[in-house]
Amino acid sequence: MNDKDESSCWYFAYGSNMSASVFTTRRKIQPLETEVACIKSHTLCFNIMGVPYSDPGMGGLRKINKGDDTRIGPVVGVAYRLSREEFGRVIASEGGGIAYKVVKLAATFEKDGSTAPVYTLIGRHDIDPSYERLPSPRYMGLLIRGARELNLPQSYQEKLASQLTFRPPQSLRYTAGKWSFDAFWKRVQYCIEQGVRTFKDDEGHVPAWFLTGFDCLLWTMWIHHDYVHSKIWGRGDGR
């Protein structure tokens, strides 16, 4: 395994892109090779702030440090070898870099134990673990299905299956609160998605001014949720 061919590169997926229904069917990415791999230096976490009441926490990576709980374990996923053009499409499909940034890490391939540099996505912002939010059952279902499709180690599949998820209460008050929150912020989300399509460059990234605007909207949304909306209608992140 190597990264010498400049016309292609290895991309490591650990979240919803592990699922064929997402990666190859919906996003229409066609990998040149597919290998099960792990990144021993990092673990899976949910430090990407999503949308309250729908997908509060999304998958990210956190560096494993000395003294961390030994039960944390390294992240396991799939390494796709992609053409540079296809890799750019992956970045665009992940929001043009508004939530994630591209990093280069060392992955170990399950097939033969060899290592190779891979590009993967981690959160743009270093969110403290205490501020992480729960993923939705929908999102975790994609990870669990992808892990099963790829036949990831059984212990890792069990870890994904045991992950706590955001379970909304079944009440009229909560339902009304979710509807009123979505009525505004889902429209904002749609505008952001359209902006990514309009302003992304050939490598799938959006300009710095767009990132600044996105960050302002993201934190405004979460402050609104944490200190205003949730006080009236109930929390939409499982905390």
Side-chain angles (χ1 to χ4, degrees):
M1 309 289 179
N2 62 70
D3 192 40
K4 293 180 180 179
D5 180 6
E6 294 185 356
S7 67
S8 65
C9 62
W10 287 103
Y11 159 64
F12 179 81
Y14 54 86
S16 60
N17 278 342
M18 291 193 297
S19 172
S21 64
V22 173
F23 198 65
T24 60
T25 304
R26 191 172 79 199
R27 295 181 173 169
K28 301 188 185 305
I29 307 295
Q30 298 301 320
L32 303 171
E33 293 182 61
T34 301
E35 296 286 350
V36 174
C38 74
I39 295 179
K40 296 181 179 180
S41 60
H42 287 69
T43 190
L44 175 69
C45 62
F46 298 92
N47 64 350
I48 308 299
M49 307 299 286
V51 180
Y53 302 100
S54 300
D55 279 301
M58 312 296 282
L61 294 182
R62 190 180 300 285
K63 187 175 176 58
I64 299 175
N65 298 307
K66 289 182 180 180
D68 284 347
D69 192 325
T70 55
R71 293 173 296 179
I72 289 177
V75 61
V76 182
V78 55
Y80 297 111
R81 190 164 70 86
L82 304 174
S83 68
R84 295 288 175 172
E85 180 182 358
E86 290 281 66
F87 182 62
R89 291 180 59 205
V90 170
I91 301 303
S93 71
E94 292 289 350
I98 59 176
Y100 295 93
K101 62 182 178 182
V102 179
V103 296
K104 198 174 187 179
L105 300 172
T108 301
F109 291 82
E110 183 183 61
K111 183 170 139 181
D112 55 11
S114 64
T115 61
V118 296
Y119 292 100
T120 192
L121 302 175
I122 65 173
R124 282 179 52 235
H125 301 292
D126 188 16
I127 302 296
D128 188 85
S130 64
Y131 202 69
E132 291 181 15
R133 310 301 167 110
L134 291 179
S136 68
R138 180 204 68 83
Y139 182 75
M140 281 309 302
L142 293 174
L143 273 63
I144 292 168
R145 184 165 70 244
R148 184 170 59 246
E149 291 172 356
L150 295 163
N151 196 29
L152 297 191
Q154 188 61 35
S155 60
Y156 194 75
Q157 292 191 47
E158 292 171 359
K159 176 182 177 179
L160 294 178
S162 66
Q163 170 63 44
L164 293 176
T165 57
F166 168 59
R167 301 282 179 173
Q170 301 300 310
S171 68
L172 289 176
R173 173 171 168 263
Y174 178 85
T175 301
K178 180 182 185 309
W179 178 87
S180 62
F181 190 90
D182 288 349
F184 177 75
W185 288 110
K186 285 289 187 179
R187 287 178 171 81
V188 174
Q189 182 183 19
Y190 174 79
C191 291
I192 291 171
E193 291 170 353
Q194 293 299 111
V196 169
R197 294 190 182 96
T198 301
F199 297 110
K200 66 181 177 64
D201 60 22
D202 292 339
E203 294 183 346
H205 296 278
V206 295
W209 64 263
F210 193 97
L211 295 179
T212 301
F214 169 79
D215 287 345
C216 290
L217 288 170
L218 177 69
W219 292 112
T220 298
M221 177 182 69
W222 275 102
I223 290 171
H224 172 223
H225 167 267
D226 288 352
Y227 298 104
V228 179
H229 203 85
S230 65
K231 303 297 184 182
I232 303 170
W233 304 102
R235 297 195 68 90
D237 60 357
R239 297 186 70 183

